[in-house]
Amino acid sequence: MQLQTAAHAASFDVASLAMCRGLESQAASHLAAISSTGKKAAGETLFAEGDDADCVYEVVKGTLRVCKLLPDGRLQIMGFPGSGHLLGLAAGGNHAYTAEAVTDVTLCRYPRASVDRLVDKVPSLARRLWTATSDELRFAQQQLVLLGRKTATEKVASFLLLLAEQQKSLDGTVFVSMSRTDIGDYLGLTIETVSRTLSKLKRDGLIALPVPDQVKLLDVERLSELAEGESESEA
Amino acid sequence: MQLQTAAHAASFDVASLAMCRGLESQAASHLAAISSTGKKAAGETLFAEGDDADCVYEVVKGTLRVCKLLPDGRLQIMGFPGSGHLLGLAAGGNHAYTAEAVTDVTLCRYPRASVDRLVDKVPSLARRLWTATSDELRFAQQQLVLLGRKTATEKVASFLLLLAEQQKSLDGTVFVSMSRTDIGDYLGLTIETVSRTLSKLKRDGLIALPVPDQVKLLDVERLSELAEGESESEA
DNA sequence: CACGAATTGTCACACATTGTCACATTCCGA
DNA sequence: TCGGAATGTGACAATGTGTGACAATTCGTG
């Protein structure tokens, strides 16, 4: 069943989005009725930390980066949400982080007030959003371990494996849509360390770098060992 | 209105717990009916990462530590939940982390299956648990910034201010119920660096250390500046 | 209550990892 | 084809870690 509103110009079927996963068709109809399409070009800001959280967004196509700033300009990227990710679910009325487009992005947007009203009427929607928040928390907790305890090599290996998993890469080729600087801001490293670590993994035969925005994983098993902190066979 | 079940032996009023915050009295009655009291002695494990998540817990008294392990034994503590904190809300059926008692702990326990059934019937409970998960996520995101971007001094200053805020300290005295090792595992540092940093803050006149499990904050304003990465007046 | 053992915390020094700075190379878009 | 941006590399500095020694504190036993 295809649900459209004038605001979507027939670009995608709201009922098939992650937001509606597990919902009855009536609930999906309600969501479709309140939704609209948004687009952001690469580099544009979706919302800034502290802004009123008046919309819930789902990424339909493309990649965002979500990050927090320290007063002196230091930046920590917390993730690169791609298609199927929901943003703006936080309680508290204001966005806790900044969201910017890494690539051109297509979004489905739902007014937060309308979502909140629906949540009270549709238990499965409440559960859906609670689950989405819980999944995001689980991911953040894994990231805490990475940032707090992993070495640079373990961090980069973990990152490459995450991309491969997200992209369901079958032949080991992953596309890297974000810059080396962004990867560094995500892994708690500098751009030089990211570059040096990628070069070392290449010299060691674990990856190939045909072009800068593509990595070919040549030894997924060894990368998995590195990512989990298994001691290297020889240093 | 005091709600008790035989399982509680009159130790606390379920309706006054964080779990019931914002709920109608009938919902609170339902929760009281399914709840029971648990106690853990300092050092005991509440649940381990991977265990079935068959209970939701609220800390009534005392302090836990929640942590994740790497295969080689490295440990990252993600927080020290105290009274009012809920655990075990995650979707997915298994605990994503290990919870252990830092001090003797009193808990209120709710079977997860019963909670899930109530959630469908009581929209305010669904919202309450979604909000609790969201608050936990917001905290984890702040911690990502700390682990990924802050220096050792900024980390320790942040930690001390967090304790002061949680304990609603009026005269700057905070109680440190966790060991230096635990603080290190929480801040992504080693025990020596935690000790060195505390000693430096003491030498600089920002804190006093009357006994190892107590810190007196002498210059909260300066500590706040340090915690946020404001450049030091003179090094 | 005193004493000894165990545990925790502190300190100094050497080392390793990552950051900083400067510059070279590569890639991409006009 | 060229210029600007992004990436890669090398040398050196800084921060935090690792290690060993010692001090302080806590706990258990007599």
Side-chain angles (χ1 to χ4, degrees):
Chain A
M1 186 234 278
Q2 181 120 337
L3 298 170
Q4 296 297 347
T5 64
H8 284 306
S11 56
F12 50 82
D13 176 17
V14 174
S16 67
L17 294 183
M19 180 73 155
C20 296
R21 188 183 303 143
L23 303 191
E24 313 85 8
S25 62
Q26 191 170 348
S29 293
H30 281 119
L31 284 170
I34 65 174
S35 66
S36 58
T37 305
K39 284 184 180 290
K40 286 290 176 187
E44 288 184 345
T45 298
L46 179 59
F47 52 77
E49 183 172 355
D51 282 357
D52 287 339
D54 48 12
C55 274
V56 175
Y57 302 92
E58 175 169 350
V59 182
V60 175
K61 189 168 186 296
T63 302
L64 295 169
R65 68 183 197 172
V66 295
C67 48
K68 285 169 83 75
L69 278 151
L70 282 166
D72 65 358
R74 277 177 286 168
L75 182 125
Q76 177 64 45
I77 287 176
M78 301 179 301
F80 295 100
S83 65
H85 275 88
L86 298 168
L87 293 94
L89 294 177
N94 301 93
H95 287 299
Y97 51 78
T98 296
E100 297 167 342
V102 170
T103 66
D104 290 349
V105 171
T106 302
L107 303 149
C108 187
R109 188 170 45 217
Y110 311 85
R112 180 61 193 259
S114 304
V115 170
D116 282 342
R117 282 194 289 276
L118 261 182
V119 151
D120 285 336
K121 294 187 213 143
V122 183
S124 58
L125 178 60
R127 183 178 293 283
R128 175 72 193 97
L129 298 184
W130 178 23
T131 296
T133 305
S134 178
D135 289 345
E136 199 173 336
L137 174 60
R138 194 183 285 260
F139 181 80
Q141 288 168 338
Q142 287 178 312
Q143 205 59 9
L144 285 176
V145 178
L146 182 146
L147 288 177
R149 285 304 178 209
K150 290 190 177 185
T151 66
T153 302
E154 293 168 352
K155 288 174 169 176
V156 173
S158 298
F159 178 65
L160 295 176
L161 292 169
L162 177 69
L163 289 183
E165 185 188 358
Q166 286 174 346
Q167 295 174 21
K168 297 176 173 62
S169 171
L170 297 179
D171 67 345
T173 298
V174 295
F175 296 92
V176 183
S177 52
M178 61 291 288
S179 67
R180 296 301 193 256
T181 298
D182 276 2
I183 297 173
D185 287 338
Y186 173 65
L187 297 176
L189 302 170
T190 60
I191 180 177
E192 289 87 353
T193 303
V194 172
S195 192
R196 275 191 212 106
T197 307
L198 286 170
S199 295
K200 184 180 183 331
L201 292 174
K202 179 177 155 189
R203 284 200 300 280
D204 291 348
L206 278 61
I207 64 172
L209 298 169
V211 286
D213 61 354
Q214 197 178 115
V215 180
K216 190 158 178 63
L217 310 190
L218 303 175
D219 192 338
V220 170
E221 187 176 335
R222 185 70 193 124
L223 283 168
S224 298
E225 291 171 2
L226 282 179
E228 287 303 307
E230 309 281 326
S231 61
E232 298 177 54
S233 53
E234 58 251 23
Chain B
M1 186 234 278
Q2 179 118 338
L3 299 170
Q4 295 297 345
T5 64
H8 283 304
S11 58
F12 50 81
D13 175 18
V14 174
S16 66
L17 294 183
M19 181 74 155
C20 296
R21 188 183 304 145
L23 304 189
E24 312 85 7
S25 62
Q26 190 171 350
S29 294
H30 281 120
L31 284 170
I34 64 173
S35 65
S36 58
T37 305
K39 285 184 181 288
K40 287 291 176 187
E44 289 185 344
T45 298
L46 179 58
F47 52 78
E49 183 173 354
D51 282 358
D52 288 339
D54 47 12
C55 274
V56 176
Y57 302 91
E58 175 169 349
V59 182
V60 176
K61 191 170 184 294
T63 303
L64 294 168
R65 68 184 197 171
V66 295
C67 49
K68 287 169 79 76
L69 277 151
L70 283 166
D72 65 359
R74 276 177 288 168
L75 182 126
Q76 178 63 46
I77 288 176
M78 301 178 303
F80 295 101
S83 66
H85 275 88
L86 297 168
L87 293 93
L89 294 176
N94 301 93
H95 287 299
Y97 51 78
T98 295
E100 297 168 344
V102 171
T103 65
D104 291 349
V105 171
T106 301
L107 302 147
C108 187
R109 187 170 47 217
Y110 310 84
R112 180 65 193 256
S114 303
V115 170
D116 282 341
R117 282 194 289 274
L118 263 181
V119 152
D120 284 337
K121 296 190 210 135
V122 184
S124 57
L125 178 61
R127 181 177 296 281
R128 175 72 196 94
L129 298 184
W130 178 22
T131 298
T133 304
S134 177
D135 290 345
E136 198 173 337
L137 174 59
R138 193 183 286 259
F139 180 81
Q141 287 168 339
Q142 288 176 313
Q143 203 60 9
L144 285 174
V145 178
L146 181 148
L147 288 176
R149 284 308 179 206
K150 289 189 177 185
T151 66
T153 301
E154 292 168 353
K155 286 174 170 176
V156 171
S158 299
F159 177 65
L160 295 176
L161 291 170
L162 177 68
L163 288 184
E165 184 188 359
Q166 286 174 343
Q167 296 175 19
K168 298 178 173 61
S169 172
L170 295 180
D171 68 343
T173 297
V174 295
F175 296 93
V176 183
S177 52
M178 62 291 290
S179 67
R180 297 302 193 252
T181 299
D182 276 1
I183 297 172
D185 287 337
Y186 173 64
L187 298 176
L189 303 169
T190 60
I191 179 179
E192 289 83 2
T193 303
V194 171
S195 189
R196 258 182 236 117
T197 307
L198 286 171
S199 296
K200 183 179 185 327
L201 292 174
K202 178 178 155 190
R203 285 199 299 281
D204 291 347
L206 277 61
I207 65 172
L209 299 169
V211 286
D213 62 354
Q214 198 178 116
V215 180
K216 191 161 177 60
L217 309 189
L218 302 176
D219 191 340
V220 171
E221 187 177 334
R222 184 68 194 126
L223 283 169
S224 297
E225 290 171 3
L226 282 178
E228 287 304 304
E230 308 282 325
S231 61
E232 298 176 55
S233 53
E234 59 251 22

